[in-house]
Tab-separated table of all heavy atoms in Angstrom:
chain	number	residue	atom	x	y	z
A	1	LEU	N	-4.504	0.435	-7.010
A	1	LEU	CA	-5.378	1.546	-7.388
A	1	LEU	C	-5.575	2.501	-6.217
A	1	LEU	O	-5.559	3.728	-6.399
A	1	LEU	CB	-6.731	1.006	-7.858
A	1	LEU	CG	-6.767	0.311	-9.214
A	1	LEU	CD1	-8.126	-0.343	-9.445
A	1	LEU	CD2	-6.463	1.291	-10.346
A	2	VAL	N	-5.749	1.950	-5.017
A	2	VAL	CA	-5.883	2.804	-3.835
A	2	VAL	C	-4.621	3.648	-3.662
A	2	VAL	O	-4.686	4.864	-3.452
A	2	VAL	CB	-6.129	1.958	-2.570
A	2	VAL	CG1	-6.142	2.849	-1.328
A	2	VAL	CG2	-7.449	1.196	-2.678
A	3	PHE	N	-3.465	3.022	-3.774
A	3	PHE	CA	-2.195	3.735	-3.600
A	3	PHE	C	-2.051	4.855	-4.626
A	3	PHE	O	-1.613	5.966	-4.299
A	3	PHE	CB	-1.033	2.757	-3.732
A	3	PHE	CG	0.320	3.401	-3.551
A	3	PHE	CD1	0.800	3.698	-2.290
A	3	PHE	CD2	1.109	3.710	-4.654
A	3	PHE	CE1	2.046	4.297	-2.112
A	3	PHE	CE2	2.352	4.304	-4.486
A	3	PHE	CZ	2.817	4.599	-3.215
A	4	ASN	N	-2.420	4.593	-5.857
A	4	ASN	CA	-2.234	5.587	-6.915
A	4	ASN	C	-3.163	6.782	-6.782
A	4	ASN	O	-2.934	7.814	-7.431
A	4	ASN	CB	-2.423	4.936	-8.287
A	4	ASN	CG	-1.220	4.117	-8.699
A	4	ASN	OD1	-0.110	4.346	-8.216
A	4	ASN	ND2	-1.425	3.146	-9.557
A	5	GLU	N	-4.205	6.646	-5.950
A	5	GLU	CA	-5.057	7.808	-5.708
A	5	GLU	C	-4.303	8.877	-4.920
A	5	GLU	O	-4.659	10.045	-4.963
A	5	GLU	CB	-6.316	7.389	-4.937
A	5	GLU	CG	-7.295	6.580	-5.752
A	5	GLU	CD	-7.909	7.354	-6.901
A	5	GLU	OE1	-8.033	8.591	-6.792
A	5	GLU	OE2	-8.247	6.722	-7.917
A	6	GLY	N	-3.261	8.437	-4.194
A	6	GLY	CA	-2.412	9.391	-3.483
A	6	GLY	C	-3.132	10.083	-2.354
A	6	GLY	O	-3.821	9.471	-1.555
A	7	TYR	N	-3.005	11.398	-2.292
A	7	TYR	CA	-3.561	12.165	-1.193
A	7	TYR	C	-4.611	13.131	-1.723
A	7	TYR	O	-4.326	13.983	-2.550
A	7	TYR	CB	-2.472	12.958	-0.474
A	7	TYR	CG	-3.004	13.828	0.640
A	7	TYR	CD1	-3.257	13.286	1.892
A	7	TYR	CD2	-3.294	15.166	0.437
A	7	TYR	CE1	-3.770	14.064	2.916
A	7	TYR	CE2	-3.807	15.951	1.454
A	7	TYR	CZ	-4.039	15.393	2.695
A	7	TYR	OH	-4.555	16.157	3.697
A	8	THR	N	-5.857	12.944	-1.281
A	8	THR	CA	-6.927	13.866	-1.639
A	8	THR	C	-7.823	14.012	-0.430
A	8	THR	O	-7.961	13.108	0.391
A	8	THR	CB	-7.769	13.337	-2.820
A	8	THR	OG1	-8.185	12.004	-2.524
A	8	THR	CG2	-6.976	13.340	-4.109
A	9	GLY	N	-8.469	15.175	-0.313
A	9	GLY	CA	-9.362	15.403	0.812
A	9	GLY	C	-8.633	15.259	2.133
A	9	GLY	O	-7.488	15.667	2.289
A	10	ASP	N	-9.317	14.667	3.129
A	10	ASP	CA	-8.696	14.512	4.457
A	10	ASP	C	-8.205	13.094	4.683
A	10	ASP	O	-7.872	12.718	5.805
A	10	ASP	CB	-9.689	14.904	5.563
A	10	ASP	CG	-10.911	13.991	5.599
A	10	ASP	OD1	-11.066	13.182	4.668
A	10	ASP	OD2	-11.691	14.085	6.563
A	11	VAL	N	-8.154	12.288	3.626
A	11	VAL	CA	-7.697	10.905	3.749
A	11	VAL	C	-6.458	10.703	2.885
A	11	VAL	O	-6.473	10.986	1.687
A	11	VAL	CB	-8.790	9.907	3.313
A	11	VAL	CG1	-8.285	8.478	3.425
A	11	VAL	CG2	-10.043	10.086	4.165
A	12	ASP	N	-5.390	10.251	3.504
A	12	ASP	CA	-4.162	9.952	2.783
A	12	ASP	C	-4.279	8.529	2.250
A	12	ASP	O	-3.975	7.564	2.946
A	12	ASP	CB	-2.974	10.094	3.738
A	12	ASP	CG	-1.643	9.962	3.022
A	12	ASP	OD1	-1.630	9.414	1.905
A	12	ASP	OD2	-0.632	10.401	3.584
A	13	LEU	N	-4.741	8.392	0.998
A	13	LEU	CA	-4.995	7.062	0.456
A	13	LEU	C	-3.705	6.294	0.198
A	13	LEU	O	-3.700	5.058	0.245
A	13	LEU	CB	-5.819	7.170	-0.831
A	13	LEU	CG	-7.271	7.612	-0.645
A	13	LEU	CD1	-7.981	7.703	-1.988
A	13	LEU	CD2	-8.019	6.659	0.269
A	14	ALA	N	-2.613	6.992	-0.096
A	14	ALA	CA	-1.340	6.294	-0.283
A	14	ALA	C	-0.914	5.617	1.022
A	14	ALA	O	-0.532	4.440	1.039
A	14	ALA	CB	-0.268	7.264	-0.764
A	15	ALA	N	-0.989	6.356	2.117
A	15	ALA	CA	-0.636	5.779	3.421
A	15	ALA	C	-1.608	4.672	3.802
A	15	ALA	O	-1.212	3.654	4.376
A	15	ALA	CB	-0.619	6.877	4.492
A	16	GLU	N	-2.893	4.854	3.475
A	16	GLU	CA	-3.884	3.827	3.787
A	16	GLU	C	-3.598	2.552	2.992
A	16	GLU	O	-3.709	1.432	3.516
A	16	GLU	CB	-5.288	4.347	3.468
A	16	GLU	CG	-6.410	3.388	3.816
A	16	GLU	CD	-6.540	3.121	5.307
A	16	GLU	OE1	-5.977	3.886	6.125
A	16	GLU	OE2	-7.209	2.133	5.665
A	17	ALA	N	-3.210	2.708	1.727
A	17	ALA	CA	-2.880	1.537	0.904
A	17	ALA	C	-1.685	0.791	1.477
A	17	ALA	O	-1.659	-0.445	1.488
A	17	ALA	CB	-2.603	1.969	-0.533
A	18	ILE	N	-0.694	1.525	1.960
A	18	ILE	CA	0.473	0.877	2.565
A	18	ILE	C	0.053	0.114	3.819
A	18	ILE	O	0.485	-1.024	4.053
A	18	ILE	CB	1.558	1.926	2.894
A	18	ILE	CG1	2.156	2.478	1.592
A	18	ILE	CG2	2.650	1.319	3.768
A	18	ILE	CD1	3.100	3.642	1.790
A	19	ARG	N	-0.806	0.719	4.634
A	19	ARG	CA	-1.282	0.048	5.856
A	19	ARG	C	-2.009	-1.252	5.508
A	19	ARG	O	-1.773	-2.301	6.118
A	19	ARG	CB	-2.214	0.979	6.642
A	19	ARG	CG	-2.647	0.425	7.984
A	19	ARG	CD	-3.604	1.387	8.685
A	19	ARG	NE	-4.924	1.360	8.075
A	19	ARG	CZ	-5.864	0.459	8.376
A	19	ARG	NH1	-5.601	-0.499	9.251
A	19	ARG	NH2	-7.039	0.515	7.800
A	20	LEU	N	-2.890	-1.189	4.514
A	20	LEU	CA	-3.643	-2.372	4.116
A	20	LEU	C	-2.722	-3.445	3.541
A	20	LEU	O	-2.886	-4.642	3.807
A	20	LEU	CB	-4.704	-1.990	3.085
A	20	LEU	CG	-5.840	-1.086	3.579
A	20	LEU	CD1	-6.712	-0.642	2.398
A	20	LEU	CD2	-6.676	-1.773	4.633
A	21	THR	N	-1.742	-3.023	2.745
A	21	THR	CA	-0.833	-3.991	2.133
A	21	THR	C	0.063	-4.631	3.189
A	21	THR	O	0.412	-5.816	3.087
A	21	THR	CB	0.008	-3.322	1.036
A	21	THR	OG1	-0.872	-2.659	0.119
A	21	THR	CG2	0.827	-4.348	0.268
A	22	ARG	N	0.441	-3.875	4.212
A	22	ARG	CA	1.191	-4.477	5.323
A	22	ARG	C	0.351	-5.575	5.984
A	22	ARG	O	0.875	-6.641	6.339
A	22	ARG	CB	1.553	-3.408	6.352
A	22	ARG	CG	2.686	-2.475	5.955
A	22	ARG	CD	3.096	-1.644	7.163
A	22	ARG	NE	3.998	-0.573	6.825
A	22	ARG	CZ	5.320	-0.732	6.665
A	22	ARG	NH1	5.849	-1.939	6.794
A	22	ARG	NH2	6.098	0.302	6.378
A	23	GLN	N	-0.939	-5.305	6.182
A	23	GLN	CA	-1.812	-6.317	6.775
A	23	GLN	C	-1.855	-7.566	5.902
A	23	GLN	O	-1.766	-8.697	6.401
A	23	GLN	CB	-3.232	-5.766	6.925
A	23	GLN	CG	-3.413	-4.756	8.036
A	23	GLN	CD	-4.869	-4.341	8.188
A	23	GLN	OE1	-5.747	-4.886	7.523
A	23	GLN	NE2	-5.118	-3.382	9.049
A	24	LEU	N	-1.989	-7.364	4.604
A	24	LEU	CA	-2.066	-8.499	3.691
A	24	LEU	C	-0.757	-9.279	3.693
A	24	LEU	O	-0.751	-10.516	3.677
A	24	LEU	CB	-2.403	-8.017	2.285
A	24	LEU	CG	-2.670	-9.107	1.249
A	24	LEU	CD1	-3.862	-9.954	1.650
A	24	LEU	CD2	-2.895	-8.497	-0.129
A	25	ALA	N	0.368	-8.558	3.708
A	25	ALA	CA	1.672	-9.223	3.722
A	25	ALA	C	1.862	-10.057	4.989
A	25	ALA	O	2.522	-11.101	4.960
A	25	ALA	CB	2.786	-8.186	3.603
A	26	ALA	N	1.263	-9.602	6.087
A	26	ALA	CA	1.361	-10.369	7.329
A	26	ALA	C	0.463	-11.601	7.306
A	26	ALA	O	0.700	-12.560	8.038
A	26	ALA	CB	0.982	-9.479	8.518
A	27	ALA	N	-0.564	-11.565	6.441
A	27	ALA	CA	-1.544	-12.657	6.423
A	27	ALA	C	-1.261	-13.696	5.352
A	27	ALA	O	-1.736	-14.829	5.458
A	27	ALA	CB	-2.951	-12.086	6.222
A	28	ILE	N	-0.509	-13.336	4.323
A	28	ILE	CA	-0.299	-14.260	3.208
A	28	ILE	C	1.153	-14.213	2.774
A	28	ILE	O	1.732	-13.131	2.623
A	28	ILE	CB	-1.242	-13.916	2.028
A	28	ILE	CG1	-1.068	-14.902	0.870
A	28	ILE	CG2	-1.078	-12.497	1.558
A	28	ILE	CD1	-2.089	-14.732	-0.237
A	29	ASP	N	1.733	-15.367	2.590
A	29	ASP	CA	3.138	-15.474	2.176
A	29	ASP	C	3.184	-15.579	0.660
A	29	ASP	O	3.039	-16.662	0.098
A	29	ASP	CB	3.772	-16.704	2.827
A	29	ASP	CG	5.246	-16.837	2.480
A	29	ASP	OD1	5.848	-15.830	2.086
A	29	ASP	OD2	5.784	-17.955	2.596
A	30	HIS	N	3.351	-14.438	-0.001
A	30	HIS	CA	3.304	-14.399	-1.463
A	30	HIS	C	4.313	-13.358	-1.944
A	30	HIS	O	4.273	-12.201	-1.514
A	30	HIS	CB	1.888	-14.039	-1.920
A	30	HIS	CG	1.635	-14.268	-3.378
A	30	HIS	ND1	2.239	-13.528	-4.366
A	30	HIS	CD2	0.829	-15.159	-4.022
A	30	HIS	CE1	1.818	-13.943	-5.546
A	30	HIS	NE2	0.973	-14.935	-5.364
A	31	PRO	N	5.227	-13.712	-2.853
A	31	PRO	CA	6.254	-12.764	-3.266
A	31	PRO	C	5.711	-11.503	-3.945
A	31	PRO	O	6.311	-10.431	-3.835
A	31	PRO	CB	7.130	-13.576	-4.228
A	31	PRO	CG	6.309	-14.747	-4.629
A	31	PRO	CD	5.411	-15.040	-3.477
A	32	GLU	N	4.572	-11.603	-4.628
A	32	GLU	CA	4.026	-10.416	-5.274
A	32	GLU	C	3.383	-9.459	-4.269
A	32	GLU	O	3.362	-8.258	-4.497
A	32	GLU	CB	3.014	-10.807	-6.352
A	32	GLU	CG	3.620	-11.026	-7.717
A	32	GLU	CD	4.187	-9.749	-8.320
A	32	GLU	OE1	5.343	-9.396	-7.965
A	32	GLU	OE2	3.525	-9.121	-9.140
A	33	VAL	N	2.866	-9.983	-3.161
A	33	VAL	CA	2.385	-9.102	-2.096
A	33	VAL	C	3.569	-8.318	-1.539
A	33	VAL	O	3.496	-7.101	-1.340
A	33	VAL	CB	1.687	-9.905	-0.985
A	33	VAL	CG1	1.264	-8.978	0.158
A	33	VAL	CG2	0.476	-10.645	-1.535
A	34	ALA	N	4.678	-9.019	-1.305
A	34	ALA	CA	5.892	-8.345	-0.845
A	34	ALA	C	6.386	-7.358	-1.893
A	34	ALA	O	6.841	-6.250	-1.563
A	34	ALA	CB	6.975	-9.381	-0.538
A	35	GLY	N	6.303	-7.734	-3.166
A	35	GLY	CA	6.736	-6.838	-4.230
A	35	GLY	C	5.923	-5.560	-4.262
A	35	GLY	O	6.476	-4.463	-4.439
A	36	LEU	N	4.602	-5.676	-4.086
A	36	LEU	CA	3.759	-4.480	-4.076
A	36	LEU	C	4.068	-3.602	-2.874
A	36	LEU	O	4.149	-2.375	-2.992
A	36	LEU	CB	2.285	-4.879	-4.070
A	36	LEU	CG	1.289	-3.710	-4.001
A	36	LEU	CD1	1.473	-2.763	-5.179
A	36	LEU	CD2	-0.143	-4.219	-3.938
A	37	LEU	N	4.259	-4.214	-1.707
A	37	LEU	CA	4.597	-3.426	-0.521
A	37	LEU	C	5.919	-2.694	-0.726
A	37	LEU	O	6.039	-1.504	-0.406
A	37	LEU	CB	4.670	-4.332	0.712
A	37	LEU	CG	5.036	-3.641	2.031
A	37	LEU	CD1	4.071	-2.515	2.346
A	37	LEU	CD2	5.060	-4.668	3.174
A	38	ALA	N	6.914	-3.388	-1.275
A	38	ALA	CA	8.199	-2.741	-1.545
A	38	ALA	C	8.034	-1.579	-2.521
A	38	ALA	O	8.605	-0.493	-2.329
A	38	ALA	CB	9.184	-3.770	-2.102
A	39	LEU	N	7.256	-1.787	-3.566
A	39	LEU	CA	7.024	-0.736	-4.556
A	39	LEU	C	6.383	0.485	-3.911
A	39	LEU	O	6.806	1.632	-4.149
A	39	LEU	CB	6.128	-1.275	-5.677
A	39	LEU	CG	5.702	-0.281	-6.754
A	39	LEU	CD1	6.897	0.245	-7.521
A	39	LEU	CD2	4.693	-0.928	-7.703
A	40	MET	N	5.363	0.261	-3.092
A	40	MET	CA	4.702	1.381	-2.419
A	40	MET	C	5.673	2.147	-1.530
A	40	MET	O	5.700	3.386	-1.534
A	40	MET	CB	3.533	0.858	-1.584
A	40	MET	CG	2.344	0.363	-2.382
A	40	MET	SD	1.060	-0.265	-1.264
A	40	MET	CE	-0.267	-0.618	-2.423
A	41	LEU	N	6.461	1.418	-0.739
A	41	LEU	CA	7.393	2.084	0.181
A	41	LEU	C	8.432	2.894	-0.577
A	41	LEU	O	8.758	4.026	-0.191
A	41	LEU	CB	8.082	1.042	1.063
A	41	LEU	CG	7.173	0.277	2.037
A	41	LEU	CD1	7.959	-0.816	2.745
A	41	LEU	CD2	6.540	1.218	3.049
A	42	LEU	N	8.949	2.352	-1.668
A	42	LEU	CA	9.977	3.053	-2.438
A	42	LEU	C	9.418	4.304	-3.099
A	42	LEU	O	10.097	5.344	-3.166
A	42	LEU	CB	10.581	2.106	-3.474
A	42	LEU	CG	11.450	0.992	-2.884
A	42	LEU	CD1	11.680	-0.121	-3.899
A	42	LEU	CD2	12.784	1.561	-2.402
A	43	HIS	N	8.201	4.225	-3.607
A	43	HIS	CA	7.582	5.421	-4.190
A	43	HIS	C	7.232	6.439	-3.107
A	43	HIS	O	7.443	7.642	-3.279
A	43	HIS	CB	6.322	5.042	-4.958
A	43	HIS	CG	6.590	4.517	-6.340
A	43	HIS	ND1	7.506	5.089	-7.185
A	43	HIS	CD2	6.042	3.481	-7.032
A	43	HIS	CE1	7.532	4.428	-8.333
A	43	HIS	NE2	6.661	3.440	-8.257
A	44	HIS	N	6.688	5.948	-2.004
A	44	HIS	CA	6.256	6.853	-0.935
A	44	HIS	C	7.446	7.570	-0.309
A	44	HIS	O	7.298	8.688	0.200
A	44	HIS	CB	5.514	6.047	0.135
A	44	HIS	CG	4.520	6.850	0.918
A	44	HIS	ND1	3.496	7.552	0.315
A	44	HIS	CD2	4.385	7.070	2.257
A	44	HIS	CE1	2.777	8.161	1.242
A	44	HIS	NE2	3.306	7.886	2.431
């Protein structure tokens, strides 16, 4: 949901979502976390 907000105001929520998902991917070994990160990067 954060990623889909995209870019509004002075905060790039798409980039922020990618940053947060990278943190989560580093903290938890789960294929769907990796899948979401891949999806965000490919769309971005």
Side-chain angles (χ1 to χ4, degrees):
L1 288 172
V2 175
F3 181 79
N4 283 337
E5 289 295 331
Y7 177 82
T8 52
D10 64 351
V11 179
D12 187 341
L13 290 179
E16 183 65 16
I18 291 172
R19 186 182 74 84
L20 293 172
T21 307
R22 285 190 190 278
Q23 286 184 5
L24 187 61
I28 182 172
D29 182 20
H30 193 292
E32 271 294 82
V33 177
L36 178 59
L37 179 57
L39 176 63
M40 289 178 174
L41 295 174
L42 290 164
H43 279 317
H44 206 56

